Amino acid sequence: MKAIGILALMGCVATVIEAKIYTRCKLAKIFSRAGLDNYQGFSLGNWICLAYYESHYNTTAQTVLEDGSIDYGIFQINSFTWCRSGKLQQKNHCHVACSALITDDLTDAIICAKKIVKETEGMNYWQGWKQYCEGKDLSEWKKGCEVS
């Protein structure tokens, strides 16, 4: 019953927030300007691949998990540990509202993703990255995007 209520609430939020789905090259430029290329040893291709497999470049992507927590935004950052959505038991290590992770302005999402990479086991936090990006040649992800 709780999950149904959360999904209904998510439907209301989704109608208010207009989805911004970036192109691969637009994200490459944003990520490059934000200093993600080679951040903690991860190439720009890793970040673009991660964003694709976590959210398909959708800034408003939200996934309700079995434990009741929610993954938010382009990087699918979890509400229990990394952001605040109003529940008292949340840790909020990024010191940011979860709603700030689902806007077209990727600043908070990028800052939080950098914190996750720096304070955990790199990109291993993200299952999408582990399954589809880790150990692969990721040079194609930025090909043709006019980024160095």
Side-chain angles (χ1 to χ4, degrees):
M1 191 59 124
K2 185 177 180 182
I4 293 171
I6 290 172
L7 290 175
L9 177 61
M10 300 268 310
C12 292
V13 171
T15 59
V16 174
I17 301 169
E18 187 173 322
K20 168 79 173 182
I21 301 173
Y22 282 99
T23 65
R24 177 178 57 86
C25 286
K26 179 65 176 171
L27 267 187
K29 291 175 185 175
I30 291 169
F31 289 174
S32 181
R33 283 194 305 265
L36 289 181
D37 194 12
N38 292 315
Y39 180 79
Q40 295 290 307
F42 293 97
S43 70
L44 187 58
N46 278 284
W47 292 97
I48 300 165
C49 182
L50 162 68
Y52 178 79
Y53 285 108
E54 288 297 326
S55 68
H56 295 284
Y57 307 143
N58 183 349
T59 60
T60 61
Q62 296 177 47
T63 306
V64 179
L65 303 179
E66 288 181 15
D67 66 1
S69 66
I70 302 170
D71 287 348
Y72 287 92
I74 203 144
F75 296 117
Q76 290 293 277
I77 295 171
N78 188 262
S79 63
F80 182 74
T81 304
W82 300 103
C83 63
R84 178 187 70 257
S85 68
K87 296 181 182 176
L88 294 175
Q89 75 273 21
Q90 294 167 325
K91 298 174 184 168
N92 193 16
H93 289 307
C94 286
H95 308 289
V96 66
C98 296
S99 59
L101 303 176
I102 55 172
T103 68
D104 294 353
D105 180 349
L106 299 178
T107 304
D108 288 326
I110 290 169
I111 290 168
C112 190
K114 283 180 167 182
K115 185 174 183 72
I116 291 168
V117 167
K118 188 173 183 179
E119 295 182 5
T120 66
E121 297 176 31
M123 288 193 163
N124 287 313
Y125 168 80
W126 289 281
Q127 294 301 310
W129 179 83
K130 285 175 69 169
Q131 186 173 356
Y132 299 105
C133 311
E134 183 179 26
K136 308 264 186 339
D137 176 7
L138 303 174
S139 58
E140 291 294 315
W141 287 96
K142 68 177 190 174
K143 190 174 185 177
C145 294
E146 299 178 11
V147 291
S148 54

